[in-house]
Amino acid sequence: EPEVTQTPSHQVTQMGQEVILRCVPISNHLYFYWYRQILGQKVEFLVSFYNNEISEKSEIFDDQFSVERPDGSNFTLKIRSTKLEDSAMYFCASKLEKLFFGSGTQLSVL
Amino acid sequence: KQEVTQIPAALSVPEGENLVLNCSFTDSAIYNLQWFRQDPGKGLTSLLLIQSSQREQTSGRLNASLDKSSGRSTLYIAASQPGDSATYLCAVMRAGTASKLTFGTGTRLQVTL
């Protein structure tokens, strides 16, 4: 079965550093998403992306965050200046109809 | 604002029992509802998707029902097995082609031998 692939599986960074989380969505999917889950909390929506632009974003997705689909296969989430509270599991997802999630990137900001 | 609630928060059952997990949502204007499974430290695996026009979906030992007007869904697991131990998440998508999913807090299930 096709799957959404995320790299790296774990990322440790210093506060204030930039990080880029990478995702390869399922090839024929049209909608792309980033979600995050802080330890012990709900999975939260960050942003949705369709037709090469952001279609919706949450209040969490402030100016420190950006997304890009630089080519036909990759979908990236950039955090410009990480904060301690950005530590979470970040999930990429894609869909045609049903949403498929990647296995996540555990981001730890020290 | 859509709120999704799942009860119970945790459940422990002996192997072989049938069980029901509950999900409720406050805004009935949904496009679909999905049940996911999450293993510790892992990603989300989609189990069942129910469109707003459907009443239920079945996959193997799993059956999910949807009552949109009352804002409720149930996930029924038949003949539970230790391998079913995981957190089960309910999520709703509002009407709109690229809309976000709103997740519940999950039910942590443990099936004991």
Side-chain angles (χ1 to χ4, degrees):
Chain A
E1 186 173 71
E3 58 182 22
V4 176
T5 305
Q6 289 187 244
T7 55
S9 56
H10 294 85
Q11 174 89 51
V12 181
T13 190
Q14 295 290 324
M15 190 170 55
Q17 293 296 303
E18 174 183 287
V19 294
I20 298 176
L21 309 182
R22 301 180 191 280
C23 170
V24 180
I26 295 172
S27 61
N28 62 336
H29 285 188
L30 301 177
Y31 304 94
F32 313 108
Y33 304 81
W34 284 98
Y35 287 78
R36 78 173 186 188
Q37 186 177 32
I38 295 170
L39 186 64
Q41 298 186 22
K42 286 186 182 186
V43 177
E44 302 174 288
F45 168 80
L46 292 178
V47 65
S48 59
F49 193 86
Y50 170 72
N51 200 24
N52 285 320
E53 61 183 21
I54 291 174
S55 50
E56 186 175 359
K57 59 183 180 180
S58 73
E59 57 200 25
I60 302 169
F61 195 89
D62 61 22
D63 292 344
Q64 293 300 312
F65 291 86
S66 63
V67 290
E68 196 174 43
R69 188 158 162 80
D71 52 41
S73 60
N74 292 288
F75 181 50
T76 61
L77 174 69
K78 181 192 291 186
I79 309 175
R80 287 189 185 81
S81 178
T82 50
K83 302 187 282 287
L84 296 176
E85 54 265 36
D86 294 329
S87 295
M89 180 76 92
Y90 287 80
F91 294 109
C92 173
S94 68
K95 83 175 182 92
L96 269 180
E97 183 171 321
K98 189 166 70 170
L99 210 59
F100 288 84
F101 282 81
S103 54
T105 293
Q106 180 64 57
L107 176 65
S108 298
V109 182
L110 306 178
Chain B
K1 181 185 173 187
Q2 180 73 271
E3 297 286 343
V4 181
T5 305
Q6 291 185 246
I7 53 172
L11 181 64
S12 181
V13 299
E15 182 180 12
E17 273 206 7
N18 302 324
L19 59 103
V20 175
L21 308 181
N22 297 288
C23 172
S24 61
F25 47 95
T26 54
D27 185 350
S28 62
I30 65 168
Y31 183 67
N32 62 42
L33 181 146
Q34 269 185 265
W35 282 93
F36 292 88
R37 169 185 173 135
Q38 185 175 30
D39 292 285
K42 303 292 185 184
L44 307 173
T45 301
S46 180
L47 299 173
L48 290 164
L49 169 73
I50 311 178
Q51 299 293 353
S52 61
S53 58
Q54 297 175 322
R55 296 285 292 182
E56 65 178 325
Q57 283 288 328
T58 297
S59 175
R61 294 183 293 108
L62 305 180
N63 175 275
S65 68
L66 174 64
D67 184 342
K68 200 175 77 159
S69 61
S70 68
R72 295 179 190 275
S73 176
T74 61
L75 179 66
Y76 175 82
I77 302 177
S80 57
Q81 302 170 358
D84 295 331
S85 298
T87 297
Y88 291 81
L89 301 174
C90 164
V92 295
M93 181 174 286
R94 72 164 189 264
T97 55
S99 287
K100 64 182 184 181
L101 279 175
T102 301
F103 281 83
T105 47
T107 294
R108 190 171 66 254
L109 172 66
Q110 183 172 14
V111 181
T112 57
L113 291 169

